Amino acid sequence: MKPTFALSVISICLLSACTSSNVSTAVKETPVKTAPQVSNKSEGESQMVVDAAADISDKKVAASVSAPKYAMSPMPVMRMQEVPMPSLVENTEKYQHQEKHGVMRVQDQPVSTFSIDVDTGAYSNVRRFIQQGELPPADAVRVEEMVNYFPYQYALPAATSKEQFVPFGVQTEIAPAPWNAKHQLLKIGIKASDVAKETMPPVNLVFLVDVSGSMESPDKLPLLKKALKLLTHQLRPQDSISLVTYASGTKVVLRPGHTPAEVNQAIDELVAGGGTNGASGIDLAYSLAESAFKKEGINRIVLATDGDFNVGVTRFETLKDKVAEKRKSGISLTTLGFGQGNYNDQLMEQLADAGDGQYAYIDNLNEAQKVLVDQFTSSMVVVAKDVKLQLEFNPSVVKEYRQIGFENRALKAEDFKNDQVDAGEIGAGHTVTALYEITLAEEAGDLPEYRYDANKKGATTNRAQTPNELAYLKLRYKLPQASTSKEVSLPITRASMKSASSASTDFQFAAAVAAFGDYLGNQGKYLNQMTLTDIEQLANRSKGADPFGYRAEFVRLVHLSKELTARVSKQEKVAKTMMAE
């Protein structure tokens, strides 16, 4: 669509909005204004959001897997004579493309190895798209981050006679896959030991804040300032806070030794302007963290930005290498993403990965509360690092498998025991969920059968002696101050298989989230006949205990996505008709 045509369409929409308060409300809705964790929108109100968003681009064909070319900047509500012509901002958001896991034949590749991941940024970013009336780009959808956004009722690990401290416990559950009753869904749940805030080691925290010109909009620096002030209130007298900013240049705003009130005042005084020299800001933040390093404490940098680095070092791999080298000093890097239009999700997720930290996307103050307050100890205290998981399937029992998510956390089989290979960290109280769809040997598989006998590798004698084992699960990890890893393992047996009706609510809800992720990010390739309505119903009846309303919000997102999908289908039909004419 040409920009001039888009302007006229938006202008018409804005003029009509002045005569309808409901539509006006829907058009001006931004991530800052909404509170999705506690939203009470009715289905009718959700439909109004869809219709208003659709009116802005009524003739525009919006592919469900790509971001729009142009996005309208947020606007306040004004009287008709005061409404300015909206500016069009080219959408330059960046997402890493990853090929989705496919179906694997156990005879060919019996082992699956990957690093754990506790990031949740993809879910809140997907939520932002949907609540603004758009389906997200396919590459914005990382299923593991969507599944792990939600807490699950996994039991805390218990100390053994050999070890007083066990960093995490592991449990598994198997039941028929909701999208294919002939396949089984294996859920692996990890629950980290919890740590009370009062017993946490002292914290050396450096806020690294982007105050460049691109951070001026309400969903960026203004929201960022509110979020950091929430975090400041969680710190104790023994903890230290520093504040570094960067734009065209860098600046140490506060060195360690200030009170929370003084830190909050400094945060309030931050203003946006200039370019974005993120690399220099990172260097200065690490230098400041090193000067206040706490040998027996927690040393962490919190980078808050939209990720749009445009001054100094901007090459993605160079920035990653810089952070990966700095993590050897014992200082971790957590990233908090803000904003839209120029948002660099790829950089934010990968910097946190390289820096042994976590990645979260903050689309509203409720999300800031969840990440920085409710999950404070999880975000700060690491109970195990370099956590790797390896699953070996028994070919005499399992014919095929497909890992769901964790594409950018895949490891080679030989990396599992190599302590030099970096992997993910797990914080106090964190839960991690991994899912595999498996086909038992007695069921028809998705892959074609081999024609030649020489290619049909039969099960070995040892494997044939374990007919009740589906797979063997191994985990390796290092304690926070250790350099060598430990290993735990357990068999996964047929005895743990359940019927669909007896599967736990956690199992069913995680399956619903995974199905939604496949629908958004993989065009529903593996869902067979499962529809968004089926996903919505499955999630709705498996909400279980939902004290913060996260699961109820997910159900509403699925419901809204049905309407958005119908709108896209209608637009595609209109486009085809116009092209035919």
Side-chain angles (χ1 to χ4, degrees):
M1 175 186 295
K2 294 183 179 180
T4 52
F5 179 73
L7 281 169
S8 63
V9 173
I10 295 172
S11 301
I12 293 169
C13 180
L14 287 171
L15 289 172
S16 63
C18 296
T19 62
S20 173
S21 60
N22 287 338
V23 175
S24 176
T25 301
V27 170
K28 74 180 181 69
E29 187 173 0
T30 70
V32 181
K33 298 292 186 182
T34 58
Q37 315 292 356
V38 294
S39 173
N40 292 314
K41 282 185 180 293
S42 67
E43 294 181 9
E45 290 172 321
S46 296
Q47 179 62 49
M48 283 194 291
V49 175
V50 177
D51 290 340
D55 286 341
I56 295 176
S57 56
D58 189 42
K59 298 293 185 179
K60 176 179 175 182
V61 179
S64 64
V65 295
S66 61
K69 180 67 175 174
Y70 294 95
M72 186 170 66
S73 58
M75 294 175 47
V77 176
M78 300 179 183
R79 293 187 301 274
M80 181 175 175
Q81 62 269 26
E82 296 178 350
V83 177
M85 187 69 75
S87 62
L88 289 180
V89 180
E90 185 175 2
N91 192 314
T92 59
E93 296 192 8
K94 295 181 178 67
Y95 298 95
Q96 182 182 22
H97 177 70
Q98 288 282 343
E99 292 297 326
K100 306 300 183 185
H101 287 308
V103 178
M104 306 301 298
R105 195 191 312 271
V106 175
Q107 290 179 353
D108 296 338
Q109 191 168 331
V111 174
S112 172
T113 308
F114 66 99
S115 162
I116 67 160
D117 181 19
V118 295
D119 295 343
T120 60
Y123 177 80
S124 48
N125 191 32
V126 164
R127 175 178 64 203
R128 183 255 299 184
F129 274 102
I130 295 173
Q131 289 181 335
Q132 290 184 334
E134 301 176 41
L135 293 174
D139 289 336
V141 181
R142 291 185 291 275
V143 178
E144 71 279 6
E145 293 185 29
M146 296 182 67
V147 171
N148 284 305
Y149 180 87
F150 303 93
Y152 298 95
Q153 303 303 310
Y154 302 149
L156 284 166
T160 65
S161 56
K162 294 182 180 179
E163 293 187 82
Q164 293 300 311
F165 176 75
V166 179
F168 54 80
V170 184
Q171 65 182 59
T172 61
E173 187 175 3
I174 310 172
W179 49 85
N180 190 337
K182 293 183 178 180
H183 292 182
Q184 299 293 310
L185 188 64
L186 166 63
K187 178 171 71 70
I188 301 169
I190 300 173
K191 175 68 174 181
S193 294
D194 216 345
V195 174
K197 180 179 174 181
E198 295 74 19
T199 64
M200 282 173 50
V203 177
N204 167 31
L205 193 64
V206 178
F207 292 159
L208 176 56
V209 179
D210 180 355
V211 293
S212 64
S214 69
M215 294 292 291
E216 191 172 12
S217 64
D219 58 346
K220 294 186 179 182
L221 187 60
L223 176 59
L224 185 159
K225 290 159 68 172
K226 295 175 184 177
L228 290 188
K229 287 165 71 174
L230 288 176
L231 179 55
T232 299
H233 287 301
Q234 302 308 305
L235 299 178
R236 307 156 301 172
Q238 63 266 41
D239 302 326
S240 67
I241 312 172
S242 307
L243 176 59
V244 174
T245 61
Y246 67 90
S248 299
T250 59
K251 180 182 179 181
V252 176
V253 178
L254 286 179
R255 294 186 179 274
H258 292 271
T259 65
E262 291 171 329
V263 175
N264 286 341
Q265 181 178 352
I267 292 172
D268 282 336
E269 293 172 355
L270 298 178
V271 293
T276 314
N277 195 342
S280 294
I282 290 172
D283 286 335
L284 183 57
Y286 273 106
S287 176
L288 195 58
E290 289 166 359
S291 69
F293 190 84
K294 296 183 183 294
K295 188 175 181 181
E296 302 299 327
I298 298 166
N299 299 277
R300 186 177 295 269
I301 295 169
V302 177
L303 169 60
T305 175
D306 57 16
D308 186 16
F309 293 5
N310 56 29
V311 177
V313 177
T314 59
R315 184 174 175 269
F316 172 70
E317 291 299 335
T318 303
L319 291 165
K320 269 187 64 178
D321 292 344
K322 178 191 290 287
V323 171
E325 181 63 29
K326 291 290 188 180
R327 75 169 178 239
K328 297 176 183 177
S329 65
I331 301 169
S332 57
L333 175 74
T334 285
T335 60
L336 303 179
F338 292 84
Q340 59 185 303
N342 65 335
Y343 184 62
N344 193 337
D345 172 86
Q346 178 183 14
L347 179 66
M348 299 298 287
E349 193 263 345
Q350 291 293 300
L351 284 185
D353 182 21
D356 283 350
Q358 298 146 32
Y359 162 54
Y361 177 80
I362 309 298
D363 58 333
N364 56 58
L365 199 58
N366 284 335
E367 186 65 15
Q369 170 78 23
K370 176 180 183 289
V371 173
L372 302 177
V373 178
D374 301 339
Q375 299 175 349
F376 177 72
T377 56
S378 300
S379 301
M380 291 292 159
V381 182
V382 173
V383 298
K385 63 182 183 179
D386 291 340
V387 184
K388 306 170 187 174
L389 187 150
Q390 188 169 80
L391 193 61
E392 179 187 3
F393 289 96
N394 181 352
S396 67
V397 181
V398 179
K399 179 182 292 183
E400 296 168 353
Y401 69 90
R402 177 177 67 91
Q403 186 178 10
I404 300 175
F406 291 94
E407 282 84 4
N408 66 355
R409 300 289 178 159
L411 298 173
K412 298 177 181 178
E414 60 264 30
D415 293 341
F416 182 68
K417 289 189 175 183
N418 187 345
D419 286 346
Q420 302 305 310
V421 176
D422 183 59
E425 284 64 46
I426 185 168
H430 259 142
T431 60
V432 178
T433 301
L435 299 170
Y436 284 84
E437 182 178 0
I438 63 177
T439 304
L440 300 180
E442 60 266 26
E443 297 290 348
D446 291 328
L447 299 176
E449 296 291 339
Y450 287 129
R451 175 179 177 85
Y452 302 106
D453 290 340
N455 293 327
K456 300 176 182 178
K457 306 171 187 176
T460 65
T461 304
N462 288 338
R463 285 170 176 156
Q465 290 175 353
T466 55
N468 293 319
E469 283 189 14
L470 280 72
Y472 196 69
L473 175 63
K474 296 184 290 186
L475 293 97
R476 289 187 80 87
Y477 66 94
K478 298 172 188 171
L479 292 174
Q481 305 303 323
S483 57
T484 57
S485 62
K486 299 183 178 184
E487 184 175 308
V488 294
S489 59
L490 70 155
I492 300 173
T493 66
R494 282 183 177 272
S496 60
M497 293 174 61
K498 300 178 179 179
S499 65
S501 59
S502 60
S504 68
T505 54
D506 275 350
F507 178 97
Q508 295 179 57
F509 188 81
V513 178
F516 189 50
D518 189 74
Y519 185 91
L520 294 177
N522 203 22
Q523 298 183 319
K525 180 177 179 179
Y526 295 103
L527 297 184
N528 291 315
Q529 302 302 313
M530 192 177 197
T531 65
L532 284 175
T533 297
D534 297 328
I535 295 172
E536 179 185 7
Q537 291 174 351
L538 176 62
N540 192 45
R541 64 175 178 262
S542 59
K543 290 197 303 287
D546 188 26
F548 298 105
Y550 301 146
R551 296 188 178 191
E553 177 197 64
F554 173 79
V555 175
R556 292 193 294 272
L557 289 181
V558 178
H559 182 78
L560 182 54
S561 296
K562 291 194 302 182
E563 307 302 330
L564 294 175
T565 301
R567 176 67 65 178
V568 168
S569 297
K570 179 181 177 182
Q571 290 172 332
E572 289 175 344
K573 291 179 180 178
V574 170
K576 289 180 181 179
T577 301
M578 292 174 67
M579 290 176 66
E581 295 174 351

